[in-house]
């Protein structure tokens, strides 16, 4: 296991290099002087000249990349054009908010997906199975931003049960209860696609497990159905489910970016949205880098978890 | 949905399109199998209707989609003259939906079609030749995979600025890794099979094996997958327009219409935002149904559960 873990951790280095290189090259792919783009149109000539020297714009492309990477590793992510403050002071709290939302939607996706999948898979072709699988078909294609609007319309505007905007009440700022209330609708909206995928996967894995030889053997031995499901079948379907969870985290994060815009959730998605509109390049670069790195790390953790559960995958 | 029953009975096997009866038209036989799959037929029907409606937009749209009428605003569904109502700028929603279908369908179908041959070549290269080239291709794709699809699209729009072309390039870049991986996986399975061995013994060179032997066997997988991906690309493209990175006003687009409608959600006009999104959902799902149907058609053993 240890050697697998080391190998897997080393494998993310080239991916991270590639990701950072792609983010770095954004500035150079946009036509115009990189120094002007980073400082904004309002920058003075002296400032531009100084930055040109700092960025090493007279040096070869790969040395420029090296300088940029070294700055990033030192934690110097640059200065926001529109806000005139260091990028990391803005983005780190937003990253945490996005991770809270992603965590919430992951919980909805896992709890909802497993529950629906198990109930449907235990009794295939029952009315519950048919209805839930009918909706699950649409789930994979649901435009997240649309679902967010529909949920907001029904539960916030019409019924008034849940808040429609932001992350917490201004009065009870930061209380856990308030955040949880604000988290429900955005989490459901961001989780919809993955929830549908998860429910379908759980259902089909459970049906496969029921048709397998080991379950037939247990049944022949007279082991109770409850024991078969929860002790044996469930453990076997856990590995594909965990694997899929890792794949779905990207979709959850992507969904969160849209949902944040609809619900004004103060996360990286809303920030990226306004930074792109405001052409705030350092902000866009750092935001993209943050999301991509957390995505790579989450996948790493997930792969390690899956491998620790299923020794066959370690080789 | 079938209950647990033998996949194919002897009579069915003889009737199956892949059992050759040269006298009969193969296409007709395929259609006979396809039409039994109700969801796939429904999907095809929805896609054809959507395509026809957007193609005939100038003829069938009751109003000009971009002309606003200040005196009529936010009319509800079922208003006389405006079946689906009027948006916040007094534009007929039905007409905008009809015209919007053009951009939504184009921005999804064009990228997938463009990436089709590229992903075939890359997948075959990586899967069959393997070696250094294959390794480099797959590692580069890994980098693209490490971005959530939306994020990659955002990077593209940051570089190119907003526009229809941006959506298309984004869709190309985000879908290419997935399509290539499908070709790669199928190629790796195919290349160990006996017919490849036979072709080698008969003296076929690598190029011939890749393009004459393997390609016909992996292309069906790619067709099936790409069909479903069109739906995904449509939702992604609409999402970009929703964020203001794609289609620019006043051009009608389903994603843009949803974001415009969001601003009037609190004014008691939920239909402005929700109808276009619903249409995206239906058409995207139709592509999924068609894809599933094609999969069963090409491989009767892989029935969907």
């Amino acid at each position: 296991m240890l050697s697998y873990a080391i190998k897997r951790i080393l494998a993310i280095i080239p991916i991270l290099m590639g990701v950072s290189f792609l983010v770095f090259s954004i500035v150079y792919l946009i036509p115009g002087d990189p120094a002007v783009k980073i400082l904004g149109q309002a920058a003075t000539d002296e400032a531009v000249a100084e930055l040109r020297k700092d960025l090493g714009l007279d040096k070869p492309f790969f040395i420029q990349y090296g300088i940029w990477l070294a700055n990033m590793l030192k934690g110097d992510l640059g200065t926001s054009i529109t806000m005139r403050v260091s990028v990391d002071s803005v983005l780190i709290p937003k990253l945490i908010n996005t991770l809270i939302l992603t965590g919430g939607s992951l919980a909805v996706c896992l709890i909802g997906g497993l529950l629906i999948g198990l109930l449907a898979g235990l009794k295939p072709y029952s009315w519950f199975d048919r209805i839930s699988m009918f909706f699950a078909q649409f789930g994979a294609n649901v435009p997240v931003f649309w679902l967010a609007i529909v949920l907001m319309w029904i539960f916030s505007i019409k019924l008034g049960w849940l808040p429609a905007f932001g992350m917490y009440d201004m009065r009870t700022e930061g209380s856990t209860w308030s955040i949880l209330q604000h988290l429900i609708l955005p989490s459901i909206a961001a989780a919809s696609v993955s929830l549908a995928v998860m429910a379908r996967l759980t259902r089909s894995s459970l049906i496969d497990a029921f048709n397998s030889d080991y379950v037939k053997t247990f049944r022949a031995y007279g082991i109770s159905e409850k024991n078969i499901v929860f002790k044996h079948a469930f453990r076997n379907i856990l590995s594909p489910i965990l694997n899929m969870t890792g794949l779905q985290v990207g979709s959850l994060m992507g969904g969160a970016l849209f949902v944040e815009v609809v619900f004004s959730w103060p996360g990286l998605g809303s920030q990226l949205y306004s930074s792109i509109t405001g052409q705030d390049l350092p902000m866009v670069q750092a935001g993209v880098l943050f999301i991509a790195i957390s995505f790579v790390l989450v996948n790493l953790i997930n792969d390690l978890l899956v491998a620790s559960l299923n020794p066959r995958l370690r080789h | 949905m079938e209950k647990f029953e033998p996949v194919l009975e002897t009579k069915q096997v003889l009737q199956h399109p892949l059992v050759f009866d040269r006298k009969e038209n193969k296409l007709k036989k395929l259609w006979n199998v396809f039409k039994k799959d109700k969801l796939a037929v429904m999907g095809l029907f929805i896609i054809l209707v959507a395509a026809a409606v957007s193609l005939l937009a100038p003829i069938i749209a009751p109003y000009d989609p971009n002309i606003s009428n200040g005196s009529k605003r936010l009319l509800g569904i079922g208003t006389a003259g405006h079946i689906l109502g009027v948006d916040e700028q007094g534009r007929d929603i039905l007409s905008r939906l009809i015209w919007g279908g053009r951009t939504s369908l184009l921005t999804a179908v064009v990228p997938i079609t463009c990436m089709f041959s590229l992903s075939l070549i890359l997948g075959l290269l990586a899967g069959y030749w393997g070696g250094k080239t294959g390794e480099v291709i797959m590692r580069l794709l890994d980098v693209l995979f490490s971005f959530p699809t939306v994020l990659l699209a955002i990077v593209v729009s940051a570089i190119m600025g907003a526009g229809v072309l941006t959506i298309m390039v984004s869709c190309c870049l985000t879908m290419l890794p997935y399509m290539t991986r499908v070709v790669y996986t199928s190629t790796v399975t195919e290349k160990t099979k006996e017919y490849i061995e036979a072709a080698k013994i008969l003296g076929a060179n690598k190029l011939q094996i890749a393009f004459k032997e393997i390609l016909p066997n992996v292309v069906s997988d790619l067709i099936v997958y790409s069909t479903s991906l069109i739906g995904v690309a449509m939702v992604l493209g609409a999402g970009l327009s929703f964020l203001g990175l794609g289609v620019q006003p006043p051009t009608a687009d389903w994603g843009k219409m949803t974001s415009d409608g969001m601003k009037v959600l609190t004014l008691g006009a939920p239909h402005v935002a929700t109808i276009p999104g619903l249409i995206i959902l239906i058409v995207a799902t139709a592509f999924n149904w068609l894809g599933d149907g094609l999969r069963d058609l090409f491989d009767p053993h892989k029935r969907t559960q």
Side-chain angles (χ1 to χ4, degrees):
Chain A
M1 181 65 203
L2 188 71
S3 69
Y4 171 81
I6 292 171
K7 245 191 254 165
R8 184 65 186 75
I9 291 171
L10 288 179
I12 69 167
I13 293 174
I15 295 180
L16 286 180
M17 291 290 279
V19 167
S20 64
F21 185 73
L22 198 63
V23 171
F24 163 75
S25 43
I26 293 179
V27 180
Y28 295 85
L29 289 171
I30 306 173
D33 185 341
V36 176
K37 279 175 278 172
I38 290 170
L39 290 172
Q41 295 299 333
T44 59
D45 288 345
E46 296 87 64
V48 170
E50 196 182 334
L51 185 68
R52 286 186 67 90
K53 220 175 105 199
D54 284 350
L55 291 174
L57 287 184
D58 46 346
K59 298 192 179 80
F61 188 66
F62 281 96
I63 295 183
Q64 295 178 30
Y65 170 59
I67 295 173
W68 180 82
L69 195 64
N71 280 339
M72 284 282 156
L73 290 176
K74 273 186 278 176
D76 175 13
L77 299 177
T79 311
S80 159
I81 297 175
T82 45
M83 288 186 253
R84 298 276 159 217
V85 285
S86 74
V87 165
D88 50 323
S89 68
V90 180
L91 283 187
I92 287 172
K94 304 243 168 175
L95 174 69
I96 294 169
N97 291 349
T98 295
L99 290 181
I100 291 175
L101 178 55
T102 312
S105 56
L106 184 64
V108 170
C109 155
L110 280 180
I111 297 170
L114 284 181
L115 207 64
I116 294 171
L118 282 177
L119 285 175
L122 282 176
K123 281 187 185 151
Y125 308 108
S126 62
W127 63 266
F128 179 82
D129 179 36
R130 280 170 195 276
I131 292 176
S132 53
M133 286 308 118
F134 176 77
F135 281 107
Q137 283 192 339
F138 290 100
N141 285 307
V142 78
V144 172
F145 51 93
W146 171 78
L147 186 68
I149 291 175
V150 171
L151 288 176
M152 185 203 259
W153 165 250
I154 298 174
F155 294 102
S156 307
I157 298 175
K158 271 279 133 174
L159 298 171
W161 289 353
L162 291 161
F165 294 104
M167 192 169 159
Y168 33 69
D169 251 334
M170 286 307 153
R171 283 162 295 164
T172 57
E173 188 166 331
S175 84
T176 321
W177 173 239
S178 169
I179 292 182
L180 271 179
Q181 269 186 323
H182 284 77
L183 192 58
I184 295 174
L185 287 182
S187 298
I188 295 175
S192 58
V193 176
S194 306
L195 195 151
V197 173
M198 204 56 90
R200 286 173 85 162
L201 178 77
T202 310
R203 174 187 182 272
S204 62
S205 313
L206 192 64
I207 292 177
D208 280 350
F210 277 159
N211 289 331
S212 67
D213 289 338
Y214 69 87
V215 168
K216 282 181 192 150
T217 313
F218 285 140
R219 283 206 178 118
Y221 274 118
I223 292 172
S224 75
E225 203 65 10
K226 206 172 92 188
N227 262 339
I228 291 177
V229 173
F230 291 104
K231 260 185 127 174
H232 303 286
F234 190 71
R235 196 177 292 175
N236 273 282
I237 66 175
L238 210 57
S239 165
I241 287 173
L242 253 179
N243 223 339
M244 182 55 87
T245 310
L247 293 177
Q248 289 304 316
V249 169
S251 142
L252 290 175
M253 281 187 161
L257 299 185
F258 284 116
V259 169
E260 283 177 9
V261 174
V262 176
F263 284 97
S264 319
W265 185 270
L268 281 179
S270 325
Q271 186 55 52
L272 268 178
Y273 176 68
S274 51
S275 299
I276 289 178
T277 334
Q279 296 187 317
D280 192 341
L281 213 50
M283 212 65 152
V284 174
Q285 277 185 306
V288 169
L289 199 63
F290 274 27
I291 298 175
I293 290 177
S294 15
F295 184 50
V296 171
L297 289 181
V298 167
N299 271 327
L300 171 72
I301 295 169
N302 183 69
D303 274 5
L304 293 178
L305 264 178
V306 171
S308 70
L309 276 176
N310 189 349
R312 275 171 294 184
L313 291 177
R314 283 174 216 165
H315 302 292
Chain B
M1 223 34 95
E2 290 83 11
K3 294 220 169 185
F4 299 108
E5 57 186 14
V7 180
L8 290 174
E9 282 172 358
T10 327
K11 220 176 99 196
Q12 282 177 302
V13 171
L14 291 174
Q15 282 171 352
H16 193 272
L18 298 179
V19 175
F20 277 108
D21 178 359
R22 293 192 181 275
K23 280 176 204 158
E24 260 192 280
N25 188 346
K26 204 178 164 199
L27 267 179
K28 200 177 158 195
K29 270 204 151 184
L30 278 172
W31 170 248
N32 280 339
V33 175
F34 180 79
K35 74 180 182 192
K36 281 185 195 137
D37 187 342
K38 281 176 207 143
L39 276 183
V41 174
M42 173 103 106
L44 183 65
F45 176 73
I46 294 173
I47 293 165
L48 289 178
V49 169
V53 165
S54 6
L55 209 67
L56 300 175
I59 304 169
I60 53 176
Y63 296 89
D64 186 312
N66 299 329
I67 287 186
S68 14
N69 182 343
S71 61
K72 293 191 229 170
R73 271 190 194 173
L74 296 178
L75 298 179
I77 297 176
T79 315
H82 301 277
I83 304 173
L84 291 179
V86 159
D87 71 0
E88 71 285 357
Q89 292 186 33
R91 299 173 295 196
D92 181 53
I93 293 180
L94 178 65
S95 308
R96 284 183 72 72
L97 279 179
I98 291 172
W99 279 92
R102 289 188 158 197
T103 36
S104 295
L105 284 175
L106 267 185
T107 49
V109 174
V110 172
I112 302 284
T113 324
C114 290
M115 289 299 105
F116 194 87
S117 23
L118 185 57
S119 65
L120 260 183
I121 293 169
L122 288 178
L124 280 174
L125 264 179
Y128 185 64
W129 267 270
K132 283 255 160 60
T133 332
E135 191 67 14
V136 169
I137 293 175
M138 294 322 276
R139 289 295 85 77
L140 282 179
L141 293 180
D142 272 351
V143 173
L144 290 183
F145 268 123
S146 55
F147 284 87
T149 44
V150 191
L151 198 65
L152 199 58
I154 287 177
V155 171
V156 175
S157 353
I159 295 170
M160 294 181 58
V164 176
L165 194 64
T166 301
I167 306 187
M168 294 203 191
V169 174
S170 307
C171 280
C172 284
L173 270 183
T174 43
M175 299 301 152
L176 181 67
Y178 292 93
M179 293 165 79
T180 309
R181 195 163 60 176
V182 167
V183 180
Y184 172 80
T185 326
S186 315
T187 308
V188 171
T189 353
E190 289 295 323
K191 80 171 177 189
T192 55
K193 288 192 179 163
E194 280 169 358
Y195 71 91
I196 302 297
E197 210 57 43
K200 263 187 212 159
I201 292 166
L202 288 173
N205 63 29
K206 278 197 156 187
L207 224 71
Q208 282 170 326
I209 292 179
F211 287 93
K212 276 197 160 156
E213 305 292 336
I214 299 182
L215 187 119
N217 286 296
V218 299
V219 83
S220 65
D221 286 349
L222 185 62
I223 292 175
V224 167
Y225 191 62
S226 309
T227 311
S228 311
L229 269 192
I230 293 178
V232 178
M234 234 175 93
V235 176
L236 178 71
L240 288 180
S241 291
F242 174 83
L243 291 177
L245 302 175
V247 175
Q248 293 302 298
T251 313
D253 169 90
W254 296 340
K256 188 88 189 81
M257 289 170 74
T258 312
S259 75
D260 290 343
M262 188 173 78
K263 292 164 200 150
V264 295
L265 200 61
T266 43
L267 301 178
H271 64 289
V272 184
T274 48
I275 296 175
L278 193 63
I279 304 282
I280 301 172
L281 174 61
I282 291 171
V283 180
T285 308
F287 278 106
N288 232 7
W289 285 339
L290 182 64
D292 285 353
L294 289 179
R295 181 182 54 201
D296 294 351
L297 192 65
F298 287 135
D299 185 359
H301 299 290
K302 263 195 233 156
R303 294 275 158 121
T304 38
Q305 286 224 321

